[in-house]
Amino acid sequence: MIKIGDKVKFLNDVGGGTVTAFIGKNMVKVENQDGFEVPCLISQLINVDDPALNKGDREVAPSPAAEVISPVVQEEKSEGKILAGKDSPHFYFCCVPFDSKNPLGGDIDFYLVNDSNFTLLFRYAHFRENRYETILSGTVPPNSKENLETIGPGDLSDLPEYCFQLLYFSGEEKEWNPAVSKKFKINPVKFYKEKSFQSNSFFSKNALVYQIAENILNTEIDKLTEDDFRKVTKSKLEKVQKKESPKQQNPEIIEVDLHIHELIDNTAGLSNKEILGIQMDKVETEMHAGIRSRAKRIVFIHGVGQGVLKQEVAKLLKIKFPKYSFQDASFKEYGYGATMVMLRKK
């Protein structure tokens, strides 16, 4: 049983801190040695004050100061019904957080939505390190949805490319419908921002909604490769670039995503220390660039995890850029996963 005020250590990481608040039933805020409050799963903490409590199942002590989040409403899978209209392929990939006002406060469910009168056959896969891994396959009845998987806040540091292969049909039709193939590369930053999740007609909660196919024309366009688009637009882009002279801009706020897959294409063979070194080099480089461009603020998006990257960013800023103050970035915009540096006041 862990209580507010307990001294804890991280189970799978160095360091620890003091429990300052509860976030639902399974997570707490831990204030580390640098004064940052880091959200952590209770299962990943060791109670230093009373080691005996670490044995067996861990329970959360009720506390008047704890912020209680009501249980998630389970989205029921529809049996599928044929409705008036929607006789064209409307398929969507949806990300539904436990709490859209605090996306990182719990798990995030992924759904495939069949908003049409077609029966849908699907294959859902992850693509990473040049390999496809099938996660789920099956059938989605007309006008219904299928739960694909659930991810936690700790998974956001290594998101794969999400891939779909779809076949759709009805009982009788005159056309032989083409297969649909679609891939999504989701920037982890979206999960840190409340505004990424919007109201929709599929779920009682706000969700991040991606369109897989709206109609056959869009489906055929999606089959074009990036090279095809480049060939079509290359001459137009070159003409525009010749006419327009580059303009110098002084952005008010610069966002820098430190997730490793945003910095390099392949992490194979790299140790955690080497990955951290790449991320720290990025912080230093962007700080110098931001200072030169006279930017007002710079936000480093490091994610939540166990707080190691956040601590290293703070350490580098204190040592190499001591004249610039920094703090946690806006919770509404980034949750707990970003640090903002003030480069100038005016």
Side-chain angles (χ1 to χ4, degrees), residues 6 49 66 107 126 185 218 262 342:
D6 283 350
D49 285 343
D107 292 337
H126 290 176
K185 183 68 174 177
N218 286 353
E262 294 292 333
M342 279 60 73

Side-chain angles (χ1 to χ4, degrees), residues 100-146:
S100 58
K101 293 184 178 179
N102 179 19
L104 300 183
D107 292 337
I108 301 170
D109 291 318
F110 286 179
Y111 283 88
L112 171 60
V113 174
N114 178 8
D115 187 31
S116 76
N117 289 334
F118 293 102
T119 295
L120 180 63
L121 303 181
F122 74 94
R123 177 198 179 196
Y124 169 65
H126 290 176
F127 180 72
R128 53 159 58 99
E129 297 181 356
N130 297 318
R131 300 186 69 176
Y132 292 92
E133 177 189 2
T134 299
I135 304 301
L136 190 66
S137 61
T139 304
V140 185
N143 301 293
S144 61
K145 51 184 173 281
E146 177 77 21

